[in-house]
Every structure is written in structure tokens, then in C-alpha cells.
Amino acid sequence: MTETTAAAVQAPRTQKQPPRIHRAWFVAAVTFVTIIGAAAFRSLPGLLIDPLHQDFGWSRGTIGAAVSVNLALYGLTAPFAAALMDRFGIRRVVAVALTVIAVGSGLTVWMTAAWQLMLYWGLLVGLGSGSMALAFAATVTNRWFTERRGLVTGILTAASASGQLIFLPLLSWMVEKHDWRPAAITVALAALAVVPFVWLLLRDHPADVGLKPYGAQEFVPKPAPVQGAARRAVTVLFKAARTGPFWLLAGTFAICGASTNGLVQTHFVPAAHDHGMPVTAAASLLAVIGVFDVVGTIASGWFTDRFEPRRLLAVYYALRGISLLFLPMLLAPSVHPPMLFFIVFYGLDWVATVPPTVALCREQYGEDSAIVFGWVLASHQVGAALIAFLGGVARDVFGTYDMVWYASGALCAAAALMALVIRRRPAVPAPGLATA
């Protein structure tokens, strides 16, 4: 076959007319649903602290340690998962990750010792969820979109909050009425239910279906699989670590994780219960945070497409810190208007930091931005893990969470200042970081 004939044969695949609704939006929709399914497990840890303490006599520090292992692995797995997606494809990695989450959550039903909680919930669910982390959303956005990236990042980030909104009231009702084990089984089934959608509907790259990325002027060929996923992830880390913006982004995102997943998501329910609030009421407040988180994160994506991301980050962290300083005064046996105001205010800010952080990673590190963001996300989860553990220890030692709320508020003020000193850079790959 001549070169001309071969080109003619392959032309239809690379010249395919885009449909009225671009396939990228369907891929984003499947990604959204996938993250919702994986987010079910993230609704459970805060609901398990008191039941596990009562059932097994484990200290809150011990339970918090298992949650911290989960949160740390959630972050540390992310950059390697992003590299694995470049090697084996998004669909395979995500399907395996959801299955691992289901296995880990299901096995907790039979545990009898604290080390099993560390293994099942900490190790297995942590590894699986890390592969479903925000680096997954960043990879999908980078491959399928050249326009509306901020908006799509906001929408996909909001999927985690949507999962919290869907599952928290159900899981808290199960824990209170039927024990914690049915809740763990529900999480496992939710993760498994998403696997067929991922396998049948998700595609790795626009070139797989003969389309340009959304908003692209030219067809983008699918890159060859990248060998040595682990080596690449580590290499990108070492190169990025030589730049100042990486440490500022990692530091601010560590504080983000400490003040959200590590603190509020893990300890808000038991803290509210300490003040006499029913568990279902406290869990419902977390679900309301999820409602406004969706609004705030999508709005943040829209803002990121239009405003300077550094300033957005500074505003988000400053407002979050102020709200946390007031929280100890608002906890009470019943839900009152000031508490509702905090919930709305905090919910709008919950993960609004993600779209501008992804945008800054893309600006600084180009084609390697998804892996760099994976490492930045690792710092987010390390911060979350530390506070999840230290928050439980503080409650055991002081009998209250007040000190943790105040410390987190101060950390958020520091993050606001750090965001402002990230230097600007043209939106091109940093030298030595981009790969073809």
C-alpha cells in the first residue's frame, strides 16, 4: 500500500466531523458520575469514629490514624495514577481503582482488630481512591478540552461534593438505625456499580473516536503510551521540586487538605455530637456543605477562566480561615441560623481552591501538569492525614476540638499569603518538564 493510499484510509478517523454536542462533554459526564460513585467512601470516616469506638473500644486517635493512612495514600497514589493513565489508559486504571475501593470497604465488615482497619480502610481504600483523585479530573480535562478548562475542572471537582450530598444522609441514617456495617457495604456496592459505565462509556483520548479536543483548532494525535510510569512520576517530582512555585502550591494545598478533609469532613460530626447535636443532624449539615460546595466550585472554575488564579486562592483561604475561627462558638445541641450561615459560607469555599490550583499547575508545568498536580494533591492529603490524626489525639487529650479549629484558621491565613507570592509565568511548559 502506498503512502498516499494509507493516508486516504486513515483520513476519515482524523477528519471526523464533530457532533452537535462534542463527545468531550459526554466523557466529562461519565467522569462526573464516576467520581460521585468513588466519593461515597469519603462520606463514611467521620460517621465511623464513634461507632467503632463503642464497638471495639479503640481510641479516637487509633481510628483517626487509620483515616490518616487513607488520606495520605489518597494523595501519594495520585501522581503515580496519573502516570499510569498515560501508560495503560484512563479507563483501565479507573475501573481497577473502583474495584479496589469496593474490596477494601467490603472487607471492613469482618474486621476484629485495629490493624485490619488500617489495612482495609487505610491501605486498600486509600490506594483505590488515590487513583480516583483530582489528578483523574485534571487528566481528563487536559486531554479532552482546550477551552472551558476552568469550568470543567470546577464541575468535576464538584462531583466529590455531589457524592457527599447523595451519600451522607443515607449513610448516617444507616449507621444510626442499622449499625455501621450496612453503610460499609453500601459504599462497596456504589463503587462497583460505576465500573460498567467506566468500561463502556469512558474513552482515553479524543483521537480514539476521531475528534479534536473541545475548542482545539487542529486534530491532536493520541500520544504513544509512556513507559516507566513510576519513574516518570518521580522524575517530574524532582524537576518540579527545583522550582519555587511547586513548594508554594504544595504548601497552600496541604493547608487546604488540613482544613477540609482532615478537619471538617473527619471531625465535624463527632465535634457536633460532643455538643449534643444528633449524628443525623450533623451529617445533614455536612451534606448541605456539599450542596453549596457544588455551587462554589463550579463558580470558582468560571472565575478561574476570567480572573487571576493567585488572587482567587488568597481570597478563598482568607475567608475559610475566618469562618473556622468562629466555628467553636457556633456548635450547639440544635441547628440555629448562625450555624446555617457558617455551613453555607464554608460550603461555597470547600474545594473552590482546586480550579485555580490546577490552572497554576498548568501554567507552570505544561504537559506534565496533571502529574505535578498529583504531587500537589499528595501534599493536600498529607495535610489532611496529619489533622485527621492530630484532631483525634487533641480530642482524647483535651476533651474538645477547639484548639484544632483555631490552629486551622491560622494556617489558612498563612496559605492566603503564600498564594499571593507565587510568581507569574507565561502559559508554556517549564524547561525540562514537558514531554511530548
Side-chain angles (χ1 to χ4, degrees), residues 85-101:
M85 289 177 188
D86 288 341
R87 174 66 179 89
F88 298 106
I90 298 173
R91 184 169 57 169
R92 293 178 181 176
V93 173
V94 172
V96 171
L98 285 166
T99 303
V100 171
I101 290 173

Side-chain angles (χ1 to χ4, degrees), residues 51-432:
L52 292 178
H53 175 69
Q54 294 167 6
D55 277 10
F56 300 104
W58 301 335
S59 71
R60 291 176 176 82
T62 297
I63 300 168
V67 176
S68 71
V69 171
N70 176 291
L71 292 172
L73 287 175
Y74 176 86
L76 294 172
T77 305
F80 295 98
L84 286 172
M85 289 177 188
D86 288 341
R87 174 66 179 89
F88 298 106
I90 298 173
R91 184 169 57 169
R92 293 178 181 176
V93 173
V94 172
V96 171
L98 285 166
T99 303
V100 171
I101 290 173
V103 171
S105 182
L107 287 175
T108 58
V109 173
W110 292 282
M111 67 183 177
T112 57
W115 68 265
Q116 293 170 327
L117 179 65
M118 296 278 189
L119 176 62
Y120 302 151
W121 200 264
L123 180 64
L124 292 181
V125 177
L127 289 174
S129 60
S131 301
M132 294 292 305
L134 294 175
F136 167 43
T139 300
V140 170
T141 304
N142 287 349
R143 290 186 183 186
W144 282 88
F145 293 86
T146 58
E147 293 182 356
R148 302 287 187 266
R149 280 177 166 175
L151 176 62
V152 175
T153 300
I155 292 172
L156 296 182
T157 302
S160 180
S162 300
Q164 175 176 290
L165 166 65
I166 292 169
F167 289 103
L168 253 179
L170 173 64
L171 295 177
S172 64
W173 176 81
M174 284 185 173
V175 169
E176 188 168 45
K177 300 295 184 182
H178 301 285
D179 193 27
W180 58 269
R181 291 174 179 84
I185 291 296
T186 300
V187 169
L189 294 177
L192 281 179
V194 183
V195 174
F197 293 96
V198 170
W199 195 256
L200 295 175
L201 301 177
L202 194 62
R203 292 295 180 269
D204 294 329
H205 195 278
D208 289 341
V209 290
L211 292 174
K212 305 173 186 176
Y214 179 83
Q217 299 300 314
E218 297 180 356
F219 182 84
V220 179
K222 182 178 180 179
V226 179
Q227 303 291 333
R231 183 175 64 253
R232 183 185 176 209
V234 174
T235 299
V236 169
L237 170 64
F238 282 130
K239 291 180 179 178
R242 299 191 189 110
T243 65
F246 173 80
W247 292 107
L248 291 169
L249 288 168
T252 56
F253 225 41
I255 294 172
C256 179
S259 56
T260 53
N261 302 80
L263 181 61
V264 174
Q265 190 165 43
T266 303
H267 293 292
F268 178 81
V269 172
H273 191 55
D274 284 347
H275 287 76
M277 185 180 294
V279 171
T280 51
S284 297
L285 288 177
L286 274 185
V288 174
I289 286 179
V291 175
F292 289 94
D293 182 18
V294 174
V295 177
T297 308
I298 294 175
S300 178
W302 187 86
F303 290 145
T304 301
D305 285 332
R306 291 160 176 79
F307 300 105
E308 172 56 50
R310 295 158 189 77
R311 295 180 180 178
L312 290 176
L313 281 180
V315 171
Y316 296 156
Y317 284 121
L319 293 177
R320 182 184 299 177
I322 292 171
S323 67
L324 286 172
L325 293 176
F326 281 97
L327 181 58
M329 296 178 281
L330 302 178
L331 292 169
S334 60
V335 179
H336 48 84
M339 173 58 80
L340 289 176
F341 179 79
F342 167 83
I343 292 297
V344 172
F345 189 86
Y346 192 85
L348 290 172
D349 196 287
W350 179 274
V351 287
T353 56
V354 173
T357 301
V358 172
L360 288 171
C361 286
R362 188 180 300 121
E363 173 187 304
Q364 297 285 336
Y365 304 109
E367 292 298 320
D368 279 334
S369 61
I371 297 177
V372 173
F373 178 71
W375 286 112
V376 172
L377 179 63
S379 72
H380 181 282
Q381 295 309 117
V382 169
L386 285 173
I387 294 298
F389 171 65
L390 293 176
V393 171
R395 172 61 177 80
D396 289 334
V397 173
F398 300 111
T400 177
Y401 285 102
D402 288 359
M403 187 66 68
V404 188
W405 303 123
Y406 295 136
S408 295
L411 286 173
C412 288
L417 295 175
M418 292 166 65
L420 289 175
V421 300
I422 299 174
R423 72 171 186 267
R424 295 180 62 93
R425 184 181 181 88
V428 296

